[in-house]
Amino acid sequence: MDGRWFTVVFLEILPIILIAVTIWKFASNPLAIFSLLAAMVAGGFYLLSYTSSFGAAETPQ
């Protein structure tokens, strides 16, 4: 196993855990929940910036 299952499970469970902890600890502060969601979206876009990891063709030199 090369870690793909771990990554898939981690990427599915980590957001659920982060949102649950944020709601549990900071339920009276909706800004904390929106900040967490914004950080998660920004992190997702940051990961998508690694085009070579997602099978994009490299430019010939």
Side-chain angles (χ1 to χ4, degrees):
M1 187 160 134
D2 59 0
R4 283 185 272 180
W5 281 109
F6 173 75
T7 303
V8 168
V9 170
F10 187 71
L11 290 176
E12 292 294 325
I13 292 176
L14 182 64
I16 294 169
I17 292 172
L18 287 174
I19 291 171
V21 168
T22 303
I23 291 171
W24 174 50
K25 290 284 189 178
F26 304 105
S28 63
N29 186 1
L31 184 60
I33 295 171
F34 292 130
S35 299
L36 172 69
L37 292 174
M40 290 168 58
V41 168
F45 282 126
Y46 177 72
L47 289 176
L48 287 175
S49 69
Y50 290 106
T51 56
S52 62
S53 300
F54 294 100
E58 294 184 19
T59 57
Q61 295 180 347

Coordinates of all heavy atoms in Angstrom, one line a residue:
M1 N 0.9 -1.2 0.0 CA 0.0 0.0 0.0 C 0.9 1.2 0.0 O 1.8 1.4 0.8 CB -0.9 0.0 1.2 CG -1.9 1.0 1.3 SD -3.2 0.6 2.4 CE -3.4 2.1 3.2
D2 N 0.6 2.1 -0.9 CA 1.5 3.3 -1.1 C 1.0 4.5 -0.5 O 1.5 5.6 -0.8 CB 1.8 3.5 -2.6 CG 0.6 3.7 -3.4 OD1 -0.5 3.7 -2.8 OD2 0.7 3.9 -4.6
G3 N 0.0 4.4 0.4 CA -0.5 5.6 1.1 C -1.7 6.3 0.5 O -2.1 7.3 1.0
R4 N -2.2 5.7 -0.6 CA -3.3 6.4 -1.2 C -4.6 6.3 -0.4 O -5.3 7.2 -0.3 CB -3.6 5.8 -2.6 CG -2.6 6.3 -3.6 CD -3.0 5.8 -5.0 NE -2.3 4.5 -5.2 CZ -2.4 3.8 -6.2 NH1 -3.1 4.2 -7.2 NH2 -1.7 2.7 -6.3
W5 N -4.8 5.1 0.2 CA -6.0 4.9 1.1 C -5.9 5.8 2.3 O -6.9 6.4 2.7 CB -6.2 3.5 1.5 CG -6.8 2.7 0.4 CD1 -6.2 1.7 -0.3 CD2 -8.1 2.8 -0.1 NE1 -7.0 1.2 -1.2 CE2 -8.2 1.8 -1.1 CE3 -9.2 3.5 0.2 CZ2 -9.4 1.6 -1.8 CZ3 -10.4 3.4 -0.4 CH2 -10.5 2.4 -1.5
F6 N -4.7 5.9 2.9 CA -4.5 6.8 4.0 C -4.8 8.2 3.7 O -5.5 9.0 4.4 CB -3.1 6.7 4.6 CG -2.8 7.7 5.6 CD1 -3.3 7.5 6.9 CD2 -2.0 8.8 5.4 CE1 -3.0 8.4 7.9 CE2 -1.8 9.7 6.4 CZ -2.2 9.5 7.6
T7 N -4.4 8.7 2.5 CA -4.6 10.0 2.0 C -6.1 10.3 1.8 O -6.6 11.3 2.2 CB -3.8 10.3 0.8 OG1 -2.4 10.0 1.0 CG2 -4.0 11.7 0.3
V8 N -6.8 9.4 1.2 CA -8.2 9.5 0.9 C -9.0 9.6 2.2 O -9.8 10.5 2.4 CB -8.7 8.4 0.0 CG1 -10.2 8.4 0.0 CG2 -8.1 8.5 -1.4
V9 N -8.7 8.7 3.1 CA -9.4 8.7 4.4 C -9.1 10.0 5.2 O -9.9 10.6 5.8 CB -9.0 7.4 5.2 CG1 -9.5 7.5 6.6 CG2 -9.6 6.2 4.5
F10 N -7.8 10.4 5.2 CA -7.3 11.6 5.9 C -8.0 12.8 5.3 O -8.5 13.7 6.1 CB -5.8 11.7 5.8 CG -5.2 12.8 6.6 CD1 -5.2 12.7 8.0 CD2 -4.7 13.9 6.0 CE1 -4.6 13.7 8.7 CE2 -4.2 14.9 6.7 CZ -4.1 14.8 8.1
L11 N -8.1 12.9 4.0 CA -8.7 14.1 3.4 C -10.3 14.1 3.6 O -10.9 15.2 3.5 CB -8.4 14.1 1.9 CG -6.9 14.5 1.6 CD1 -6.7 14.4 0.1 CD2 -6.5 15.8 2.1
E12 N -10.9 13.0 3.8 CA -12.3 12.9 4.1 C -12.6 13.2 5.6 O -13.6 13.8 5.9 CB -12.9 11.6 3.7 CG -12.9 11.3 2.2 CD -13.8 12.3 1.4 OE1 -14.8 12.6 2.0 OE2 -13.4 12.6 0.3
I13 N -11.8 12.7 6.4 CA -12.1 12.8 7.9 C -11.5 14.1 8.5 O -12.2 14.6 9.4 CB -11.5 11.5 8.6 CG1 -12.3 10.3 8.2 CG2 -11.5 11.7 10.1 CD1 -11.8 9.0 8.7
L14 N -10.4 14.6 8.0 CA -9.8 15.8 8.6 C -10.8 17.0 8.6 O -10.9 17.6 9.6 CB -8.5 16.1 8.0 CG -7.8 17.3 8.6 CD1 -7.4 17.0 10.0 CD2 -6.6 17.7 7.8
P15 N -11.4 17.3 7.5 CA -12.3 18.4 7.5 C -13.5 18.2 8.5 O -13.9 19.2 9.1 CB -12.8 18.5 6.0 CG -11.8 17.9 5.2 CD -11.2 16.8 6.1
I16 N -14.0 17.0 8.5 CA -15.1 16.7 9.5 C -14.7 17.0 10.9 O -15.4 17.6 11.7 CB -15.6 15.3 9.3 CG1 -16.2 15.1 7.9 CG2 -16.6 14.9 10.4 CD1 -16.5 13.7 7.5
I17 N -13.5 16.5 11.2 CA -12.9 16.7 12.6 C -12.7 18.2 12.9 O -13.1 18.7 13.9 CB -11.7 15.9 12.8 CG1 -12.0 14.4 12.8 CG2 -11.0 16.3 14.1 CD1 -10.7 13.5 12.8
L18 N -12.1 18.9 11.9 CA -11.9 20.3 12.1 C -13.2 21.1 12.3 O -13.2 22.0 13.2 CB -11.1 20.9 10.9 CG -9.6 20.5 10.8 CD1 -9.0 21.0 9.5 CD2 -8.8 21.0 12.0
I19 N -14.2 20.8 11.5 CA -15.4 21.5 11.7 C -16.1 21.2 13.0 O -16.6 22.1 13.7 CB -16.3 21.3 10.5 CG1 -15.8 21.9 9.2 CG2 -17.8 21.8 10.7 CD1 -16.5 21.5 7.9
A20 N -16.1 19.9 13.4 CA -16.7 19.5 14.6 C -16.0 20.2 15.8 O -16.7 20.6 16.7 CB -16.6 18.0 14.7
V21 N -14.7 20.2 15.8 CA -14.0 20.8 17.0 C -14.2 22.3 17.0 O -14.4 22.9 18.1 CB -12.5 20.5 16.9 CG1 -11.7 21.4 17.8 CG2 -12.2 19.0 17.1
T22 N -14.3 22.9 15.8 CA -14.5 24.4 15.8 C -15.9 24.7 16.3 O -16.1 25.6 17.1 CB -14.3 24.9 14.3 OG1 -13.0 24.6 13.9 CG2 -14.5 26.4 14.3
I23 N -16.9 23.9 15.9 CA -18.3 24.2 16.4 C -18.4 23.9 17.8 O -19.0 24.6 18.6 CB -19.3 23.3 15.5 CG1 -19.3 23.9 14.1 CG2 -20.7 23.3 16.2 CD1 -20.1 23.0 13.2
W24 N -17.7 22.8 18.3 CA -17.8 22.4 19.7 C -17.1 23.5 20.6 O -17.7 23.9 21.6 CB -17.1 21.1 19.9 CG -17.0 20.6 21.3 CD1 -18.0 20.6 22.2 CD2 -15.8 20.1 21.9 NE1 -17.5 20.1 23.4 CE2 -16.1 19.8 23.2 CE3 -14.5 19.9 21.5 CZ2 -15.2 19.3 24.1 CZ3 -13.6 19.4 22.3 CH2 -13.9 19.1 23.6
K25 N -16.0 24.0 20.2 CA -15.2 24.9 21.1 C -15.6 26.4 20.9 O -15.6 27.2 21.8 CB -13.7 24.8 20.8 CG -13.1 23.5 21.3 CD -12.9 23.6 22.8 CE -12.1 22.4 23.2 NZ -11.8 22.4 24.6
F26 N -16.0 26.7 19.6 CA -16.3 28.1 19.3 C -17.7 28.3 18.8 O -17.9 29.1 17.8 CB -15.2 28.6 18.3 CG -13.8 28.4 18.8 CD1 -13.0 27.4 18.2 CD2 -13.3 29.2 19.7 CE1 -11.7 27.3 18.6 CE2 -12.0 29.1 20.1 CZ -11.2 28.1 19.6
A27 N -18.6 27.6 19.3 CA -20.0 27.7 18.7 C -20.6 29.1 18.9 O -21.4 29.5 18.1 CB -20.9 26.7 19.4
S28 N -20.1 29.9 19.9 CA -20.7 31.2 20.0 C -20.0 32.2 19.1 O -20.4 33.4 19.1 CB -20.5 31.6 21.5 OG -19.1 31.7 21.8
N29 N -19.0 31.8 18.4 CA -18.3 32.7 17.5 C -18.3 32.2 16.0 O -17.5 31.4 15.6 CB -16.8 32.8 17.9 CG -16.0 33.9 17.2 OD1 -16.6 34.5 16.3 ND2 -14.8 34.0 17.5
P30 N -19.3 32.7 15.3 CA -19.5 32.2 13.9 C -18.3 32.6 13.0 O -18.0 32.0 12.0 CB -20.8 32.8 13.4 CG -21.1 33.9 14.4 CD -20.4 33.6 15.7
L31 N -17.6 33.7 13.4 CA -16.4 34.1 12.7 C -15.3 33.0 12.7 O -14.6 32.9 11.7 CB -15.8 35.4 13.3 CG -14.7 36.1 12.5 CD1 -15.1 36.4 11.1 CD2 -14.2 37.3 13.2
A32 N -15.2 32.3 13.8 CA -14.2 31.2 13.8 C -14.6 30.1 12.8 O -13.7 29.5 12.1 CB -14.2 30.6 15.2
I33 N -15.9 29.8 12.7 CA -16.3 28.8 11.7 C -16.0 29.2 10.3 O -15.5 28.5 9.4 CB -17.7 28.4 11.9 CG1 -17.9 27.8 13.3 CG2 -18.3 27.5 10.9 CD1 -19.3 27.6 13.8
F34 N -16.4 30.5 10.0 CA -16.1 31.0 8.6 C -14.6 31.1 8.3 O -14.2 30.8 7.2 CB -16.8 32.4 8.5 CG -18.3 32.3 8.4 CD1 -19.0 33.1 9.3 CD2 -18.9 31.4 7.6 CE1 -20.4 33.1 9.2 CE2 -20.3 31.3 7.6 CZ -21.1 32.2 8.4
S35 N -13.8 31.4 9.4 CA -12.4 31.5 9.2 C -11.8 30.1 8.9 O -10.9 29.9 8.0 CB -11.7 32.1 10.4 OG -12.1 33.4 10.7
L36 N -12.3 29.1 9.6 CA -11.9 27.7 9.3 C -12.2 27.3 7.9 O -11.4 26.7 7.2 CB -12.5 26.8 10.3 CG -12.2 25.3 10.0 CD1 -10.8 24.9 10.2 CD2 -13.1 24.4 10.9
L37 N -13.4 27.6 7.5 CA -13.8 27.2 6.1 C -13.0 27.9 5.1 O -12.6 27.3 4.1 CB -15.3 27.4 5.9 CG -16.3 26.6 6.8 CD1 -17.7 27.0 6.6 CD2 -16.1 25.1 6.4
A38 N -12.7 29.2 5.3 CA -11.9 30.0 4.4 C -10.5 29.4 4.3 O -9.9 29.3 3.2 CB -11.9 31.4 4.8
A39 N -9.9 29.0 5.5 CA -8.6 28.4 5.5 C -8.6 27.0 4.8 O -7.6 26.7 4.1 CB -8.1 28.2 6.9
M40 N -9.6 26.3 4.9 CA -9.7 25.0 4.2 C -9.8 25.2 2.7 O -9.2 24.5 2.0 CB -10.9 24.2 4.8 CG -10.7 23.7 6.2 SD -12.2 23.0 7.0 CE -12.6 21.7 5.9
V41 N -10.6 26.1 2.3 CA -10.7 26.4 0.8 C -9.4 26.9 0.3 O -8.9 26.5 -0.8 CB -11.8 27.4 0.6 CG1 -11.8 27.9 -0.9 CG2 -13.2 26.8 0.9
A42 N -8.7 27.8 1.0 CA -7.4 28.3 0.6 C -6.4 27.2 0.5 O -5.6 27.2 -0.4 CB -7.0 29.4 1.5
G43 N -6.4 26.3 1.5 CA -5.5 25.2 1.5 C -5.8 24.3 0.3 O -4.8 23.8 -0.3
G44 N -7.0 24.1 0.0 CA -7.4 23.3 -1.2 C -6.9 23.9 -2.5 O -6.3 23.2 -3.3
F45 N -7.0 25.2 -2.6 CA -6.5 25.9 -3.8 C -5.0 25.8 -3.9 O -4.4 25.7 -4.9 CB -7.0 27.3 -3.9 CG -8.4 27.4 -4.4 CD1 -9.4 28.1 -3.7 CD2 -8.8 26.8 -5.6 CE1 -10.7 28.2 -4.1 CE2 -10.1 26.9 -6.0 CZ -11.0 27.6 -5.3
Y46 N -4.4 25.9 -2.7 CA -2.9 25.8 -2.6 C -2.4 24.5 -3.1 O -1.5 24.4 -3.9 CB -2.4 26.1 -1.2 CG -0.9 26.0 -1.0 CD1 -0.1 27.0 -1.6 CD2 -0.4 24.9 -0.3 CE1 1.3 26.8 -1.4 CE2 1.0 24.8 -0.2 CZ 1.8 25.8 -0.7 OH 3.2 25.7 -0.5
L47 N -3.1 23.4 -2.7 CA -2.7 22.1 -3.1 C -2.9 21.9 -4.6 O -2.2 21.2 -5.3 CB -3.5 21.0 -2.3 CG -3.1 20.9 -0.8 CD1 -4.0 19.9 -0.2 CD2 -1.6 20.4 -0.7
L48 N -4.0 22.5 -5.1 CA -4.2 22.4 -6.6 C -3.2 23.1 -7.4 O -3.1 22.9 -8.6 CB -5.6 22.9 -6.9 CG -6.8 22.0 -6.4 CD1 -8.1 22.7 -6.7 CD2 -6.7 20.6 -7.1
S49 N -2.4 24.0 -6.8 CA -1.4 24.7 -7.5 C -0.2 23.8 -7.9 O 0.6 24.2 -8.7 CB -0.9 25.9 -6.7 OG -0.2 25.5 -5.6
Y50 N -0.1 22.6 -7.3 CA 0.9 21.7 -7.6 C 0.4 20.9 -8.8 O 0.0 19.7 -8.7 CB 1.2 20.7 -6.4 CG 1.9 21.4 -5.3 CD1 1.2 21.7 -4.1 CD2 3.2 21.8 -5.4 CE1 1.8 22.3 -3.1 CE2 3.8 22.4 -4.3 CZ 3.1 22.7 -3.2 OH 3.8 23.3 -2.1
T51 N 0.5 21.4 -10.0 CA -0.1 20.8 -11.2 C 0.7 19.5 -11.6 O 0.1 18.6 -12.1 CB 0.0 21.8 -12.4 OG1 1.3 22.3 -12.6 CG2 -1.0 22.9 -12.1
S52 N 2.0 19.4 -11.3 CA 2.7 18.2 -11.7 C 2.3 17.0 -10.9 O 2.4 15.9 -11.3 CB 4.2 18.5 -11.4 OG 4.5 18.7 -10.1
S53 N 1.7 17.2 -9.7 CA 1.2 16.1 -8.9 C -0.1 15.6 -9.4 O -0.5 14.5 -9.1 CB 0.9 16.6 -7.5 OG 2.1 17.0 -6.9
F54 N -0.8 16.3 -10.3 CA -2.1 15.9 -10.7 C -2.1 15.5 -12.2 O -3.1 15.5 -12.9 CB -3.2 17.0 -10.5 CG -3.4 17.2 -9.0 CD1 -2.8 18.3 -8.4 CD2 -4.2 16.4 -8.3 CE1 -3.0 18.5 -7.1 CE2 -4.4 16.6 -6.9 CZ -3.8 17.7 -6.3
G55 N -1.0 15.1 -12.7 CA -0.9 14.6 -14.1 C -0.8 15.6 -15.2 O -1.0 15.2 -16.3
A56 N -0.5 16.8 -14.9 CA -0.4 17.8 -15.9 C 0.9 17.6 -16.7 O 1.9 17.2 -16.1 CB -0.4 19.2 -15.3
A57 N 0.8 17.8 -18.0 CA 2.0 17.6 -18.8 C 3.0 18.7 -18.6 O 2.7 19.8 -18.4 CB 1.6 17.6 -20.3
E58 N 4.2 18.2 -18.5 CA 5.3 19.2 -18.3 C 5.7 19.8 -19.7 O 5.6 19.2 -20.7 CB 6.5 18.5 -17.7 CG 6.3 18.0 -16.3 CD 7.6 17.4 -15.7 OE1 8.7 17.7 -16.2 OE2 7.4 16.7 -14.8
T59 N 6.1 21.1 -19.6 CA 6.4 21.8 -20.9 C 7.8 21.4 -21.3 O 8.7 21.2 -20.5 CB 6.4 23.3 -20.7 OG1 7.3 23.6 -19.6 CG2 5.0 23.8 -20.3
P60 N 8.0 21.1 -22.6 CA 9.3 20.7 -23.1 C 10.3 21.9 -23.0 O 9.9 23.0 -23.2 CB 9.1 20.2 -24.5 CG 7.8 20.9 -24.9 CD 7.0 21.1 -23.6
Q61 N 11.5 21.5 -22.8 CA 12.5 22.6 -22.7 C 13.4 22.6 -23.9 O 13.7 21.7 -24.6 CB 13.4 22.4 -21.5 CG 12.6 22.6 -20.2 CD 13.4 22.4 -19.0 OE1 14.5 22.0 -19.0 NE2 12.9 22.8 -17.9

